[in-house]
Amino acid sequence: MPVTAREYFIPYRREILKVSVVAVIAAWLEAAALVVVVPLAKAVAEGKQQAGGDLGPVSAQLSVDQLLLVAVGCIVLAALSNVVLAVVRSGIVAAFEERERNEIIDLYMRASWPTQQAVRGGRLLQLSGFTNKASTILTALVTSIRSLLSVITFVAISMVIDWRAALAIVVTGTVLSLALRPLAHRVRDLSAELSGENIEYAQEMNDAATNARDLRVFGAAEIALARMQARSSSMTELKRRATVMSGIMAPAYQYAGLLLILVAILVASRARTIDIAALGAIALLLLRSLSYAQQLQTAYRTVLENLPFLDRLEEARATYRAGALPVGGSPLEAVHSLRLDGVTFSYDGAEDALHELDLTLRSGEVIGVVGPSGSGKSTLLQILLRLREPTAGRLLVNDTPASDYSLTSWYEQVAMVPQETHLFHATVRDNIAMFRPEVSDDEVIDAATKAGIHDVISSLPLGYATEVGPAFRDLSGGQVQRVGIARALCRGATVLVLDEPTSSLDVHSEGQIQETLTQLQGEMTLVIIAHRLSTLSICDRLVVLHDGRLEIAGPLAEVFEHNEFFRSALDAGALDLQAPGRPTSA
């Protein structure tokens, strides 16, 4: 259900109340200045030293100098009130925008992995842009409150001065506003349609940037370009029509104001009891009211124009809240054993990616996981990392359900090296420590040394202070992967899961990673998931998966003897193990 602006900004009602109070004060001061200006101008025009008279229930006689001082004072105080109003309004909007940005990223970061994985590339950046649109709505709402209160104040004062003239002018103004209403509705509809097109265009732009390689390789770049250009043309036409309508509305209100003045003159000519000063004051007040009414209309259009962005923000919030990670749990001090007890997992509820998997991983053991594509290797990795929870069965750590332990302490004991390590635009040290201030330099160096990358880092221009990232080429692919291993080791984990760590590397780089893993053998539990079977030469046991089921688990020779898939892989030359006493490819 679409969210309304009023519901969305309820948490800011106190701040908005402050704006309302200041707006009323500013409106009264401005009205007082306008009311004083007319008798002052009349006195000056007639060459009198005294000015004043009756303005409704108020009767006063002041010198021109005194009246001038009152007018100046009201104008100065009104200006100061508007300064206060601007400061309060900007503070509210700035605080709101910061809260919105922080909340959306907080909800995303605390959401589960399946929820995060479902978010399209660039979506967070797009949502950050939507928070700007939300703050635009808040600004428009504050402006509309100020404008509405000013209109009410000016009309009320006009009624007090002379209710007959004020009523006639108000009725005329209402009729004129109703006459302009279809035009206002058309501007609103065009603005809403334009905002929807803007959202779709931003998504298409993001998709094109994310999939630029695939669009080019599959010969679809021109098609994508044509789609975006068609959307752009549609936006241009909507913008043109909305601008034309808005351009018509602005002078329409001005001409309506001139008509109001004519009405005022007409009323004065029919009712000779109305004082010219009172009539002038009413005309000025209601003419100024018309200006605020125009601001009110503009603010209303701005709110409608940006409401679709608010709906998208609320949809994202609801999604992230629904997928929030569980909090709490006992601390996990160490991992002595991991056991999958009848673990089943399904992505869609219809087909199992893993089916009744029973497997025990012992401390210090090196386990290799192999199988054809779609066999469930990546799903097994996500279960071990607690990125996903089993649909059925249990993941046990030290014979206790893993869900009993907090995720924070889990990731202190279980770490991962992905298929391709991504570096942040930061120093090598920050990339290894993952920006954690409590990690000491000695711990970073120790992790890098164990990962076999310390000497390479030391040779960089600034050593561990060298800036790296996607735009830098100081490190090769294999070196980046070893930085990823150092990152995992820096947490002091006792279980390391490696997801095809050498699949994108050349033979030389693969050999370096193999050497690093060999040095870690026996120090921690290693789970190596791979397509390239040569990566598994250091494994104590191999686990073969097929269609989500465990076909066999055992030493290499046993797997070779009893598993057809593994023998087929060897016969195809996909495995090259040179360790003594182990079979090698033909």
Side-chain angles (χ1 to χ4, degrees), residues 277-357:
L279 181 62
I282 292 172
L284 280 178
L285 287 169
L286 294 181
L287 193 60
R288 187 69 178 125
S289 297
L290 197 63
S291 174
Y292 280 117
Q294 185 176 352
Q295 291 182 21
L296 194 61
Q297 177 63 38
T298 302
Y300 176 64
R301 189 178 73 247
T302 299
V303 170
L304 290 175
E305 196 173 296
N306 290 281
L307 269 180
F309 298 100
L310 216 59
D311 292 337
R312 297 298 178 94
L313 275 174
E314 202 58 30
E315 288 171 8
R317 277 193 181 86
T319 299
Y320 300 156
R321 287 192 184 107
L325 287 170
V327 295
S330 304
L332 178 61
E333 302 296 338
V335 177
H336 302 297
S337 68
L338 279 171
R339 182 159 63 91
L340 289 88
D341 180 21
V343 167
T344 296
F345 182 84
S346 173
Y347 289 94
D348 57 10
E351 185 176 350
D352 291 341
L354 292 177
H355 184 75
E356 296 184 356
L357 209 63

Side-chain angles (χ1 to χ4, degrees), residues 125-148:
L125 184 60
Q126 189 181 53
L127 290 174
S128 178
F130 290 173
T131 62
N132 295 333
K133 299 293 186 180
S135 67
T136 299
I137 293 178
L138 180 57
T139 302
L141 285 176
V142 173
T143 300
S144 65
I145 290 171
R146 187 267 174 93
S147 300
L148 180 60

Side-chain angles (χ1 to χ4, degrees), residues 15-31 34 74-90 92 137-155 288-297 299-300:
E15 288 78 4
I16 292 174
L17 179 61
K18 294 177 185 177
V19 170
S20 302
V21 171
V22 178
V24 170
I25 294 171
W28 274 93
L29 289 167
E30 185 179 354
L34 292 173
C74 288
I75 291 171
V76 170
L77 290 175
L80 290 175
S81 298
N82 277 283
V83 170
V84 172
L85 190 63
V87 171
V88 174
R89 180 178 61 189
S90 63
I92 294 173
I137 293 178
L138 180 57
T139 302
L141 285 176
V142 173
T143 300
S144 65
I145 290 171
R146 187 267 174 93
S147 300
L148 180 60
L149 291 174
S150 296
V151 169
I152 292 172
T153 300
F154 292 166
V155 170
R288 187 69 178 125
S289 297
L290 197 63
S291 174
Y292 280 117
Q294 185 176 352
Q295 291 182 21
L296 194 61
Q297 177 63 38
Y300 176 64

Side-chain angles (χ1 to χ4, degrees), residues 461-484:
L462 297 177
Y464 284 85
T466 302
E467 293 280 340
V468 293
F472 297 87
R473 293 292 181 267
D474 292 318
L475 300 173
S476 67
Q479 292 166 347
V480 169
Q481 278 298 79
R482 280 188 282 167
V483 169

Side-chain angles (χ1 to χ4, degrees), residues 41-58:
K42 181 183 176 185
V44 171
E46 294 175 351
K48 296 179 179 180
Q49 294 301 314
Q50 291 293 115
D54 297 330
L55 289 174
V58 179

Side-chain angles (χ1 to χ4, degrees), residues 511-532:
Q512 292 177 323
I513 299 298
Q514 288 280 88
E515 182 181 347
T516 298
L517 296 179
T518 300
Q519 293 173 355
L520 295 175
Q521 191 173 12
E523 294 188 11
M524 59 194 311
T525 304
L526 299 179
V527 181
I528 306 173
I529 298 174
H531 279 300
R532 294 169 68 169

